[in-house]
C-alpha cells in the first residue's frame, strides 16, 4: 500500500490524538525504524527518558504491518510492560491511526504457556504436589485453599491468564495448574484442546499486525527451539539492555535433589519401580554431596560430586528409555508421560551438560558451573553459558530485521560493549556518539562464520536538559565503601542530604542489608518517614512514596530499574556504591576471566558494563518529566577517583557535576523551598 501516509505524518497524527508533544528525538527514531523495516538493516536506538520511544517504534511498526500485510513482534523486558502496551498504548494508537491506515490494526499479546491455566492439569490439581519436600501441614492446607480458588476462577475466567487473577496465588499453587511448553501433550491429544487458554492466546496472534511478547518467551523460542512466535519479518526489542540477562536465565540449567525427586515421582506412575527408586536414591546422594561442597564456581567438580551427578544422569536416562511408546497412549496417560518426560529430560540434559563442561579444557568451555546455596534459592548445581552472543546472532539477526532500543545502550559513549554481547560488531567504521549520529558496519547478514549482520546505531537524545535540571554529586571526601555495612560517615551524609531535601529521597542500595541498615538507623535520626523495600509490596511502597512528598524510599535492585515518580516527591536519588557484581559472582567472574584470557578487558566488558547499566538506570529515576529537578548523590568516591570512573560517568546522562557537598545541599534546600511554596 504505497498510498499510506509517511511515518512522520502518522506520528504527528498519533501525538495530536494522544494530546502529546512533538519531540525531535521521537521523530528521528520513528524515521530510523521505518528505514530499517524498508531496507532490512538492523538498528540499535538509544532513546533517552522522555523521548516517547513506545510511539517512536509502534507507529512505524503499524505502518509496516499494514503496508506489507505482515506481523511485527514487539518484545518487552517484563510482562508488566507487555500489559502496558496492550492495555494502554496500542488501543489508543490504533484508534488514532485507523482513519489514515484505512483499517484498525489488530494486536495481540503472547506469553509463555506457563502463564496460562491448563484445564487438563487443573483436573489433577487436587493430588499431592510434585514438591515432595512439602510436609508442613500448614503449607499443604494453604496450598489446598489456593488450588480450590483456582478451580473456582477457572469457571469464570475468559483468558486463563495468571495476571488476570487478583489477588494472585503463590508460585507453588500456580505450578499445580499450569504446564510449560515441554510438558504440554498438545492440543490434538488433550481432551481440553478446544478450550485451551494458551492455544486461544496463540490463535489470536494469527493475522495480528502487532504481537507483543516478552524477552523470556523470545528466549525460549530461541534457546529451546520451540516455535512459539508467529511468522514475522520485523522484531522490535524494547528495554534491550536486559536482553542478555533474560536469555542467559532461560539458558541456565539447575540440578537439585528437589528436581530429581520431582522427576522420580512423575516417572513412578509409568516406569519400572526399580528404575524410579534408583533415580530417587540418586537425589539423596546428590543432596549429600551438595551439602558437603562449598558454594561458588566449580572449575573442576570434586570426584564425589561428579559421581553423584553421573548417577543422576544415568538413572534419568534409564527412566526415559523405559517410558512407554507415546503412540499407544490415551489422553490421560499421554499427559502423565509428557510431564514425566519433561522432568526427566531436564534432569538428564542438565547433568550431562555439567559433566561435559567439567571434562573440557578450561579454554574450550562454553559453560560455567557453580554450586548455589542460600536462603532464597534451592541448593544445587547451576550451569549457564559463558556468553549468548552467538545464540542471539543466529536466532535474531539472520531471518528478520531486528530493532533494539532502550534509554541505556551507549556505555562509555559507545555502543560497542552492548553490540558484542548481542553478537553484533563494530569492526568497520567509527562507533556512534551522543546526539543523532550513527554508525554502520560494512558486513552483510548472511550469518556465515566470520561475518556480522549489517546494522547501524543511533542516539536520538532526550528532551530533558540534564545539565540544567540535575546535579550529579559524587561524595569524593568519603572513604571507599567497605564490606561490613555502611560506614558511619555514609549515614551522616545521607542524613544531611535528606534533611536538606525535606525528604523526597529515593535511596538505591547495593544490598538488602545496606538498605535495611540505613532505614533502621536513620528512622531514629530524621523526622521524615522512611519506607524500606520489604515492608510491603514494591508497588504499594512506590505509590505511598509518590503520594507523600516528605517520604523517603530505600530499596535495592528492582527500584534501580523500576518505579516512575515524576514531580516533587522525588528530588534526590542516593546511590550508596557503584553496583559492580560481587567478586565471587560465579558467572560474572568466569566471563571476566574468559575475556581476559582472550586478550580483552574483562573488567570493562563485564564488571564495568554491569555497573554502568545499573548506574544509568538508577540515576535515570531522577528526571521523569521535563519539569523535574533534583540531585543524584553517589556516595562512592571511586566514581570520581578511580580510572574507570570516567567510563562510568560518560555512561550517565550529562548532569552538571560537583564533588562539593555544600553545593548539593544548597541546591536541595532551594528545591525544597520552591516545592513547599508551590504546595
Amino acid at each position: 500500500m504505497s498510498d499510506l501516509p509517511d511515518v512522520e505524518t502518522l506520528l504527528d497524527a498519533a501525538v495530536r490524538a494522544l494530546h502529546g508533544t512533538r519531540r525531535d528525538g521521537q521523530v528521528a527514531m520513528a524515521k530510523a525504524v521505518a528505514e530499517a523495516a524498508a531496507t532490512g538493516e538492523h538498528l540499535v536506538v538509544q532513546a533517552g527518558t522522555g523521548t516517547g520511544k513506545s510511539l517512536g517504534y509502534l507507529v512505524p511498526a503499524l505502518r509496516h504491518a499494514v503496508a506489507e500485510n505482515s506481523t511485527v513482534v514487539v518484545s518487552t523486558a517484563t510482562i508488566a510492560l507487555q500489559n502496558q502496551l496492550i492495555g494502554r498504548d496500542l488501543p489508543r494508537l490504533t484508534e488514532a491511526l485507523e482513519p489514515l491506515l484505512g483499517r484498525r490494526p489488530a494486536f495481540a499479546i503472547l506469553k509463555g504457556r506457563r502463564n496460562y491455566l491448563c484445564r487438563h492439569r487443573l483436573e489433577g490439581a487436587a493430588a499431592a504436589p510434585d514438591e515432595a519436600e512439602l510436609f508442613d501441614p500448614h503449607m499443604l492446607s494453604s496450598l489446598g485453599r489456593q488450588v480450590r480458588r483456582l478451580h473456582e476462577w477457572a469457571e469464570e475466567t475468559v483468558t486463563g491468564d495468571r495476571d488476570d487473577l487478583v489477588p494472585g496465588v503463590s508460585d507453588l499453587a500456580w505450578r499445580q495448574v499450569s504446564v510449560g511448553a515441554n510438558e504440554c501433550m498438545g492440543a490434538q491429544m488433550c481432551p481440553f484442546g478446544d478450550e485451551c487458554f494458551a492455544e486461544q492466546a496463540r490463535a489470536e496472534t494469527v493475522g495480528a499486525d502487532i504481537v507483543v511478547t516478552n524477552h523470556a518467551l523470545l528466549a525460549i523460542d530461541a534457546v529451546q527451539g520451540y516455535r512459539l512466535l508467529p511468522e514475522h519479518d520485523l522484531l522490535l526489542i524494547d528495554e534491550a539492555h536486559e536482553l542478555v540477562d533474560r536469555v542467559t536465565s532461560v539458558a541456565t540449567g539447575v540440578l537439585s535433589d528437589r528436581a530429581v525427586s520431582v522427576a522420580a515421582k512423575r516417572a513412578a506412575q509409568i516406569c519400572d519401580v526399580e528404575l524410579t527408586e534408583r533415580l530417587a536414591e540418586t537425589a539423596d546422594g546428590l543432596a549429600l554431596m551438595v551439602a558437603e561442597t562449598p558454594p561458588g564456581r566449580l572449575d573442576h567438580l570434586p570426584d564425589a560430586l561428579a559421581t553423584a551427578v553421573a548417577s543422576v544422569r544415568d538413572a534419568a536416562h534409564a527412566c526415559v528409555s523405559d517410558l512407554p511408546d507415546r503412540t499407544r497412549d490415551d489422553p490421560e496417560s499421554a499427559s502423565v508421560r509428557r510431564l514425566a518426560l519433561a522432568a526427566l529430560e531436564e534432569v538428564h540434559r542438565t547433568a550431562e551438560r555439567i559433566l561435559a563442561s567439567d571434562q573440557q579444557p578450561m579454554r574450550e568451555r562454553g559453560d560455567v558451573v557453580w554450586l548455589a546455596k542460600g536462603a532464597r534459592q534451592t541448593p544445587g548445581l547451576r550451569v549457564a553459558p559463558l556468553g549468548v552472543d552467538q545464540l542471539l546472532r543466529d536466532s535474531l539477526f539472520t531471518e528478520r530485521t531486528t530493532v533494539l532500543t532502550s534509554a541505556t545502550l551507549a556505555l562509555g559513549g559507545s555502543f560497542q560493549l552492548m553490540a558484542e554481547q548481542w553478537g553484533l560488531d563494530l569492526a568497520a567504521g567509527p562507533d556512534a556518539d551522543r546526539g543523532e549520529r550513527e554508525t554502520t558496519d560494512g558486513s552483510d547478514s548472511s550469518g556465515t562464520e566470520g561475518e556480522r549482520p549489517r546494522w547501524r546505531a543511533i542516539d536520538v537524545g532526550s528532551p530533558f536538559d540534564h545539565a540544567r535540571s540535575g546535579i550529579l554529586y559524587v561524595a569524593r571526601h568519603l572513604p571507599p565503601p567497605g564490606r561490613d555495612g555502611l560506614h558511619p560517615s555514609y549515614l551522616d551524609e545521607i542524613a544531611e542530604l535528606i534533611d536538606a531535601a525535606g525528604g523526597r529521597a529515593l535511596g538505591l542500595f547495593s544490598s538488602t542489608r545496606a538498605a535495611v541498615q540505613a532505614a533502621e538507623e536513620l528512622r531514629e535520626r530524621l523526622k521524615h518517614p522512611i519506607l524500606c523495600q520489604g515492608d510491603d509490596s514494591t508497588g504499594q511502597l512506590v505509590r505511598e512514596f509518590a503520594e507523600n512528598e516528605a517520604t523517603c524510599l530505600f530499596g535495592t535492585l528492582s527500584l534501580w530499574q523500576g518505579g516512575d515518580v515524576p514531580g516533587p516527591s522525588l528530588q534526590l536519588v542516593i546511590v550508596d556504591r557503584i553496583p559492580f557484581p560481587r567478586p565471587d559472582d560465579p558467572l560474572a567472574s568466569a566471563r571476566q576471566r574468559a575475556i581476559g584470557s582472550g586478550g580483552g578487558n574483562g573488567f570493562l566488558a563485564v564488571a564495568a558494563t554491569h555497573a554502568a547499566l545499573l548506574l544509568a538506570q538508577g540515576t535515570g529515576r531522577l528526571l521523569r518529566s521535563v519539569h523535574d529537578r533534583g540531585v543524584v548523590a553517589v556516595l562512592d568516591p571511586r566514581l570520581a577517583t578511580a580510572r574507570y570512573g570516567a567510563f562510568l560517568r560518560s555512561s550517565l546522562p550529562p548532569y552538571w557535576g560537583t564533588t562539593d557537598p555544600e553545593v548539593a545541599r544548597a541546591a536541595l534546600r532551594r528545591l525544597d523551598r520552591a516545592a513547599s511554596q508551590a504546595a
Side-chain angles (χ1 to χ4, degrees), residues 473 490-509 515 518-519 521-523 525-531 545 549-554 569-575 631 633 635 661 664-666 668-669 672:
Y473 161 56
Y490 278 52
L491 293 168
D492 292 341
E493 189 78 22
I494 296 172
E496 291 172 356
L497 290 166
I498 290 176
D499 191 54
R504 314 175 195 278
L506 174 65
L508 302 176
F509 293 86
E521 296 197 26
L522 293 177
R523 280 168 180 160
R525 299 170 56 175
L526 297 172
K527 62 180 180 180
H528 308 290
I530 297 178
L531 308 173
F545 172 57
E549 293 183 13
T551 299
C552 302
L553 174 59
F554 292 176
S569 291
L570 175 51
Q571 295 184 336
L572 170 63
V573 173
I574 300 170
V575 176
V631 173
L635 307 186
R665 290 194 293 264
L668 289 169
R669 284 192 286 267
D672 180 37

Side-chain angles (χ1 to χ4, degrees), residues 500-665:
R504 314 175 195 278
L506 174 65
L508 302 176
F509 293 86
S510 55
S511 68
T512 301
R513 175 187 176 189
V516 171
Q517 178 192 354
E520 290 179 348
E521 296 197 26
L522 293 177
R523 280 168 180 160
E524 303 292 326
R525 299 170 56 175
L526 297 172
K527 62 180 180 180
H528 308 290
I530 297 178
L531 308 173
C532 188
Q533 203 168 7
D535 294 343
D536 203 333
S537 70
T538 300
Q540 178 57 35
L541 291 173
V542 171
R543 284 190 292 272
E544 189 174 344
F545 172 57
E547 291 167 0
N548 185 351
E549 293 183 13
T551 299
C552 302
L553 174 59
F554 292 176
T556 54
L557 187 59
S558 63
L559 290 180
W560 283 78
Q561 302 187 79
D564 193 2
V565 184
S569 291
L570 175 51
Q571 295 184 336
L572 170 63
V573 173
I574 300 170
V575 176
D576 71 326
R577 65 190 300 160
I578 298 171
F580 290 120
R582 290 170 54 98
D584 59 354
D585 180 274
L587 188 53
S589 61
R591 286 176 169 174
Q592 189 167 324
R593 180 181 62 184
I595 293 170
S597 64
N601 187 329
F603 172 78
L604 181 66
V606 179
T609 294
H610 177 276
L613 279 173
L614 274 182
L615 269 180
Q617 290 289 309
T619 60
R621 300 303 99 200
L622 180 68
L623 303 182
R624 309 307 294 177
S625 81
V626 294
H627 305 294
D628 287 348
R629 302 288 185 273
V631 173
V632 173
V634 179
L635 307 186
D636 190 335
R638 294 176 296 176
L639 188 61
T641 61
R643 286 191 301 172
Y644 51 76
F647 168 80
L648 296 177
R649 293 195 303 274
S650 64
S651 303
L652 304 180
Y655 300 111
W656 186 82
T658 184
T659 57
D660 187 334
E662 185 49 42
V663 170
R665 290 194 293 264

Side-chain angles (χ1 to χ4, degrees), residues 35-44 393 396-404 419 422-429 438-448 450-457:
E35 183 179 351
T39 64
E41 187 176 55
H42 304 304
L43 176 68
V44 177
R393 177 185 164 195
L396 299 185
F397 302 116
T398 57
E399 298 179 359
R400 64 189 62 80
T401 304
T402 300
V403 176
L404 304 106
W422 295 327
L424 296 171
D425 190 15
L426 290 178
E438 65 184 61
T439 184
T440 308
D441 84 2
S443 61
D444 65 33
S445 56
S446 62
T448 57
E451 295 179 339
R452 298 297 188 195
R454 183 175 176 83
W455 68 289
R456 66 184 180 123

Side-chain angles (χ1 to χ4, degrees), residues 300-359:
H300 298 287
L301 294 179
D303 290 343
L305 182 58
T307 299
V309 174
S311 297
V312 170
R313 177 198 60 190
D314 296 342
H317 178 71
C319 288
V320 170
S321 300
D322 192 59
L323 287 175
D325 188 344
R326 62 183 176 183
T327 60
R328 299 192 298 269
D329 288 342
D330 56 57
E332 189 57 40
S333 59
S335 175
V336 173
R337 181 187 184 281
R338 189 64 178 172
L339 289 169
L341 180 63
L344 290 168
E345 286 186 333
E346 179 64 24
V347 165
H348 177 267
R349 181 170 53 249
T350 304
E352 180 63 32
R353 190 175 162 192
I354 290 169
L355 293 169
S357 178
D358 188 55
Q359 293 163 6

Side-chain angles (χ1 to χ4, degrees), residues 9 30 88 136 167 210 282 342 377 391 405 439 444 494 545-546 548 591 598 651 658 671:
T9 301
R88 187 191 70 183
D136 187 333
I210 302 287
T282 68
Q377 54 188 342
L391 172 65
T405 184
T439 184
D444 65 33
I494 296 172
F545 172 57
N548 185 351
R591 286 176 169 174
S651 303
T658 184
L671 289 172

